[in-house]
Structure formats: C-alpha cells, structure tokens
Amino acid sequence: MDLWSRKDNVTYKWWTNHEVRFRSGVNLVGHSDEDQGIDNEICTIASAGVDSEGRQSATVSGLDQHEETFTVDEALEAIGFGKFQWKMSVVTGLSWVADAMEMMILSILAPQLHCEWKLPGYQVALITSVVFAGMGVGSPLWGNVSDTYGRKTGLTMSICWALTYGVLSSFAPVYGWLLFLRGLVGFGIGGVPQAVTLYSEFLPVKSRGTYVMLIAAFWAIGSVFEVLLALLIMPTLGWRWLLFFSSLPMAVFLCFCHWLPESPRFHLLTGKTGKAMETLARIAKDNGKPMPKGKLVGNQQNERGRIKDLFTPQYRKTTLLLWFIWFANAFSYFGIVLLTTELFQAGPLCTAIQGAKIEPSCSLECKYLTSSDYKDLLWTTLAEFPGILLILLAIDRIGRKKSLALCFFMFSLCILPLFACIGRLSVTICIFIARAFISGGFQVAFVYTPEVYPTETRALAMGTSSAVSRVGALITPFVAQVMLRQSVRATLSFYLIFCLLGGVASLLLPIETLGRVLQESCLDQEAGQQTGTTNQTNKTAHSSDQRLNIRKE
C-alpha cells in the first residue's frame, strides 16, 4: 500500500526544439527515439538538475521514481515567513533607507547651492541629473555582477562604492568636483535595487507581495529622516555636514551585511546545491520549522545575466512595457519631489498659472528654504506611508497590473487641480495625495519585476529597469526646475501625459504575477506556457468527444 500512497515528483516538459531539450540538462540516454521525441512532444521526468549532494542528476520516469525531492519554492512554502525574514527585512531595509536619503537630499541641496555658489538654473538641474546618470550606468552593471557573482556580492560592493564617494562629496571644493563625486555616488546607488532581488528570493509565494512592500516602508522612513535631518543641520552646520550624515546609514548596513546569506536560488543555479541546503536549513532553524524531506533539485545554468535573454519571445513585450513603466514612474516620482520645493519657493500659484515666470529678474537671485518650506516638505514626504498602506491593501487583491494602473491614473487625477489657481494649502494636499500614489506605484514595480523574470536574469532585469528609470529621473530636473520657470502648465502637462501612458502600459502587461511561483529559468516559463496550451487543447478535444457521444445516443 505504501507504494501506492507515496507521491512521485513528476515534471512535465514540452519540447518544441530538440536543441533546447539537450541544453536543459535532461538525460534521456537509453531511451528510443520514440521515447525521446523530436518536436512538440511532452517528456516526463522525475527530477532534473542537481541533487542535494551536488551531483548532476536527471531521473527519467520509471527509474527511481519513489525518491522524494523538493524545490526551493516548496521548501520556502513549508518553512514560511518568520523570524529569519523579519531580520532580513531590517538589514536589507537599511540599504533602502540609504538610497531614499541620497535621493531626497537632491531636492534640498539644489536650492542651497543655487544661493551659496550663485549657480544658474541649468547648473542646479545638473546636480540632480548627474546622480541619475551615474545610476543609469551603474544599475545594469551591478545587475550583471549580481547575476554572475551573487546578489549579496553585488549589493555589498555597490554600497561600499556609494559610501566612499558620498563621504568624499561632502569635501568637494568647487562645483566641478561636486558633480564628479555625486555622479560616482549615483553609480554606487544604482546597485541598491538588488536588495529587493535578494530579499524576494527568500519569500514564500503567499506573502511575497505583502512583504516586499515592507522594504518600501524603509524607503519612506529614509525620506522622512532626511527632511528632519536637513531641518536640524542646514540652518546651523550647512550642506556639507548634511551630505556626510546622510551617508551614515550605508556604513550601518555594511556593519550588518556579513549576516546576509546568499540566495539559495542563486546557489542552486550555479550548481552549489550543498550551500543552498545549508541556507534553507538556517532559515528553517530560525523560523522553528522542519525542513522538507528528500533531496533539493533544480536546474544548473552556466549562462546567466545575458541582455538578450530579456528579449526572448516570451519576455520581449514584458521588457519593453516594463521599461516604459519604470521610466514614467521615476520621471513622475522625482518630478513631484522636485516640484514640491520649487512650487513652495515660487509663492502664490495664481501668478505662475496666469503666465508670469517663476524665475526672478536676475537668474542668479535665489531663495533659501525656510523652516516653513521644510515643514511642508515633511508633510508631503509623509505621503509615502499612506501610499504604502494603500498598495498593501490592493496588491494581493486586485493584482500587480491593476495596482500599477491605479497608481498612475490617480496621480494624473491629483495633478489636474494644479492647473487651476489654488492656494498653498490646496497645493500641499494635491502633492501629498499625488506622491502617495506614485510612490506606491514605484513599489509595485519593485514587486512585479523580480516576480516576472526567472532567476538566471532576475538581477539583470532589475538592473536594466532601474537604469531606464534613471533616464526618466535624469530628465525630470530640467522639466521640474528649468521648464517650470517658463511655464507651469507645460510642466504639469508632461507629468500628466506620461502617467496616463504609464497606466495604459500597466494594463497591457501580458503576465499577472499574483500567486505565481518564481521561475528558475526561461525554460520553466516556456514549458509552463506550452503545457497550459496542451491542457487546454486536451480539454477542448475531451469536450468535443463528449458532445459527439451525446449526439450518437
């Protein structure tokens, strides 16, 4: 009876190309051509890849079919979310705090240097843009490092880089040196999104969307902390000390990053199954849960982090749409952050709306941020928290695609009142709500992107998406800080149009990842899609047979 009750680990794969079959590592030696198939046949295998002792294995159905095996996803589901993931949330969250502070400081630093160094408008915008240019170059490179050498390695190296040049930038003697050093800071910060890649690979399917959003709370904390820090330091110590203290969260992260383990998915993909088992055992011990019985199995992949893998037929549309969504998100999010200080400094919005230029008569005239400006900036920054709460309620109910679209469309709706002649309080409220939705949308993109791509390209996908977003962030200072001084309505129109297009692009995404396990390779995606097609075909054929039998009777 035990033989009948025992569960077999059987995987069905649909081979559309005999070359793909051999690349996948499945051993069909000893089987006839009829068993192996040539094209468009389903092959049944008991387990494939690397066992828990580090040996390459692939047992065909019928051979050793009663041996128990499990995957990383099955192990994480059995272990669940617990103490280990909470600790990991805090450690990876520290890198997110550092990232948020480095971004938030841009809206505070620009007005200060505009006054202190007598900079014209385009040079002020360059202080912000050069950081995003560095991030745009760094993000795909750190993504490639993370796919090749490990997520922990890529994240730690990027934080070390950003910390070094963040501290050095506080000693910049002249404008040119400041631009150079802040660009290098941006290059390092480009690797911080790998914290989400690393963290998401330790989460069970059921709680992934909710708990990835937990990192977003650290972003909000970092943004609020930066404004409070500026309120205390800027009037007394100045911007150099603000730059120095803003780098400290990166130092704190480096003190604790030795605790972070490498992703078991990455270990499995690189053939280090023993290390993957050790990591899973560590998670189980911390969470007080037993490990699944049997051997850990998975596919070893030698070719990882290739840009062309993002443009295979099953991912091409997703990649292009996601890149535009990331671009629109960053363009709008950092635009509303910069617009906050610019609109507060501009005085009554009625004058600007009716055609007068915001720029004073002399291009070198300036206004320092007042305590009132900092307080209003703090209020709008606090919008990050309700934005996170809103998405937490929506992301696992209506799905990732609809959540993204909701955030884009609501941001556009909140921009509309700014076209009218409204007072400072109304401006603050509109910016508060708009920022809540666009920050929530940004976090949904961070949830969706690592879910939709397989392990072999996940870090690269995050890196390239982040790089494209930095292009939007690079452009937005020239809109929010330069174009705004010429026409408020033209500036607002840019943000309105891009967010409407972003909402449409979100709805056009071909894959909804709600409740979907993380794919280990592109072959899993292809097999899953084609198996689904086969099942649908079989169901249709079965229904036709039933209808035929009924007619005969």
Side-chain angles (χ1 to χ4, degrees), residues 220-442:
I221 290 168
S223 299
V224 171
F225 185 64
E226 183 64 33
V227 177
L228 291 173
L229 198 63
L231 186 58
L232 294 173
I233 291 177
M234 289 295 281
T236 54
L237 300 176
W239 62 270
R240 294 182 186 276
W241 281 102
L242 182 64
L243 283 177
F244 178 80
F245 285 119
S246 297
S247 302
L248 292 183
M250 290 185 278
V252 177
F253 169 81
L254 291 175
C255 292
F256 290 97
C257 70
H258 65 88
W259 176 87
L260 282 174
E262 184 53 82
S263 165
R265 296 178 188 275
F266 178 79
H267 278 321
L268 203 60
L269 207 65
T270 54
K272 301 174 183 176
T273 315
K275 290 187 177 181
M277 282 290 289
E278 289 175 11
T279 302
L280 291 172
R282 176 182 168 186
I283 301 171
K285 182 180 178 181
D286 272 13
N287 290 359
K289 297 289 182 69
M291 278 280 290
K293 295 180 180 179
K295 292 183 178 181
L296 177 64
V297 294
N299 292 322
Q300 181 175 343
Q301 188 80 2
N302 295 321
E303 295 179 337
R304 303 180 304 277
R306 299 179 302 177
I307 192 73
K308 68 178 183 179
D309 291 335
L310 301 179
F311 293 94
T312 55
Q314 65 263 44
Y315 290 115
R316 186 184 300 117
K317 183 178 178 181
T318 299
T319 297
L320 294 175
L321 286 173
L322 260 184
W323 281 5
F324 180 77
I325 288 167
W326 277 76
F327 176 92
N329 248 319
F331 180 77
S332 305
Y333 175 81
F334 292 108
I336 203 71
V337 170
L338 296 173
L339 274 175
T340 303
T341 53
E342 293 295 326
L343 289 176
F344 287 160
Q345 283 190 310
L349 192 60
C350 294
T351 306
I353 291 294
Q354 291 167 1
K357 294 181 180 180
I358 291 177
E359 183 74 34
S361 57
C362 173
S363 64
L364 296 182
E365 285 185 42
C366 64
K367 293 180 182 178
Y368 287 97
L369 291 175
T370 64
S371 59
S372 177
D373 292 331
Y374 281 119
K375 288 175 184 176
D376 285 337
L377 184 60
L378 178 61
W379 278 113
T380 55
T381 304
L382 286 170
E384 304 269 352
F385 291 101
I388 294 168
L389 180 61
L390 176 74
I391 294 304
L392 276 174
L393 296 173
I395 194 168
D396 284 332
R397 287 174 172 81
I398 65 174
R400 280 55 162 155
K401 292 165 55 177
K402 291 180 181 177
S403 296
L404 271 170
L406 174 69
C407 291
F408 275 121
F409 291 141
M410 289 303 297
F411 178 88
S412 302
L413 189 63
C414 293
I415 287 292
L416 286 175
L418 298 180
F419 282 88
C421 180
I422 58 177
R424 181 173 176 128
L425 177 61
S426 299
V427 170
T428 304
I429 293 171
C430 288
I431 290 176
F432 181 93
I433 300 172
R435 183 161 174 178
F437 277 103
I438 200 63
S439 64
F442 219 152

Side-chain angles (χ1 to χ4, degrees), residues 62-95:
L63 299 176
D64 197 20
Q65 54 183 293
H66 301 301
E67 186 173 14
E68 293 185 12
T69 61
F70 63 91
T71 63
V72 173
D73 272 312
E74 290 167 345
L76 291 174
E77 286 297 321
I79 296 168
F81 189 95
K83 181 181 176 182
F84 176 88
Q85 282 89 353
W86 281 112
K87 290 192 290 186
M88 194 165 185
S89 300
V90 175
V91 178
T92 53
L94 283 172
S95 67

Side-chain angles (χ1 to χ4, degrees), residues 525-536:
Q525 170 76 5
E526 185 179 351
Q529 288 176 342
Q530 298 196 26
T531 302
T533 304
T534 306
N535 291 339
Q536 186 62 38

Side-chain angles (χ1 to χ4, degrees), residues 206-220:
K206 293 179 182 177
S207 57
R208 192 192 308 128
T210 301
Y211 289 109
V212 167
M213 293 301 296
L214 184 63
I215 291 190
F218 286 95
W219 176 281

